[in-house]
Amino acid sequence: FKSFGLRRARSRDGRTTMAEALQPPDSEMPRRKLSFSDSDGLSTSTSAAPERMQAFVRLRPLSGKEARATIATTETDCTISLNKPSAQGYGTIEEHSFSFDGVFGPDASQPEVYEAVMRPQVQALLEGRDTLTFAYGITNAGKTYTVQGGAAPEQRGVLPRALCSIFGALDALRAGGEA
């Protein structure tokens, strides 16, 4: 939040708004622009060293004709073996291997994914660093379920869990505690 320079504002009844609660004193606010033009001389980068982008994969259960494939995983690697039938009835096996920073199998829980993938980013955000999370995949890959989750509280996705953590930390700061 610090890097986006939220403006101070008060509500009509004079109470402090969320933007004001998030705003550090002006002397602590680094000025940053959000474009790449050279017109105002402001830096587009933070003072922190750039970090390597991390990639995680979450496998959903196989369905229908996908069941011909077998998937072997480790904590960071995923190998997919496809049994492809030929016109003579003989099958050929194609293997594709991929490496990630983390692999979550079909039985991975929402809290497990959040703790490994999002909690470090939420903590970095609360420390004033820029973070970015995005979900990528084909239709029906499970992006919406992972990000938003299901109806039951234990099925909440990474976004509702991150928002709970952020607003909980803000409440703790307003109450005088530590995040």
Side-chain angles (χ1 to χ4, degrees):
F1 288 109
K2 285 177 26 177
S3 62
F4 291 108
L6 295 174
R7 300 279 183 236
R8 289 182 184 221
R10 290 207 179 266
S11 62
R12 290 182 196 174
D13 62 3
R15 292 188 305 173
T16 303
T17 64
M18 179 61 75
E20 185 171 287
L22 295 175
Q23 181 75 27
D26 289 333
S27 62
E28 295 178 23
M29 176 60 75
R31 289 210 48 214
R32 290 189 49 219
K33 65 179 182 173
L34 299 177
S35 70
F36 294 100
S37 67
D38 293 328
S39 62
D40 59 8
L42 295 175
S43 172
T44 57
S45 64
T46 60
S47 59
E51 295 182 28
R52 182 180 65 84
M53 185 169 116
Q54 292 184 313
F56 296 84
V57 66
R58 184 177 194 182
L59 305 170
R60 64 165 171 72
L62 299 177
S63 63
K65 58 184 174 180
E66 295 173 335
R68 292 186 297 200
T70 57
I71 300 176
T73 63
T74 65
E75 286 185 17
T76 59
D77 296 306
C78 177
T79 301
I80 302 170
S81 300
L82 302 170
N83 188 359
K84 297 190 146 211
S86 67
Q88 294 82 16
Y90 302 107
T92 59
I93 296 178
E94 284 184 18
E95 269 194 5
H96 303 276
S97 296
F98 306 92
S99 292
F100 301 93
D101 291 290
V103 175
F104 299 95
D107 57 343
S109 67
Q110 294 284 62
E112 181 182 349
V113 173
Y114 173 77
E115 290 297 322
V117 177
M118 285 298 295
R119 183 170 295 282
Q121 288 199 42
V122 168
Q123 188 59 41
L125 178 71
L126 293 171
E127 292 169 0
R129 295 196 311 256
D130 296 338
T131 65
L132 170 69
T133 301
F134 66 93
Y136 179 80
I138 62 170
T139 301
N140 289 327
K143 299 175 300 292
T144 301
Y145 178 74
T146 298
V147 172
Q148 294 179 354
E154 66 275 1
Q155 293 179 336
R156 288 181 309 155
V158 295
L159 182 59
R161 290 173 191 276
L163 291 172
C164 265
S165 293
I166 291 167
F167 287 112
L170 291 173
D171 287 343
L173 284 172
R174 273 195 235 129
E178 288 296 316

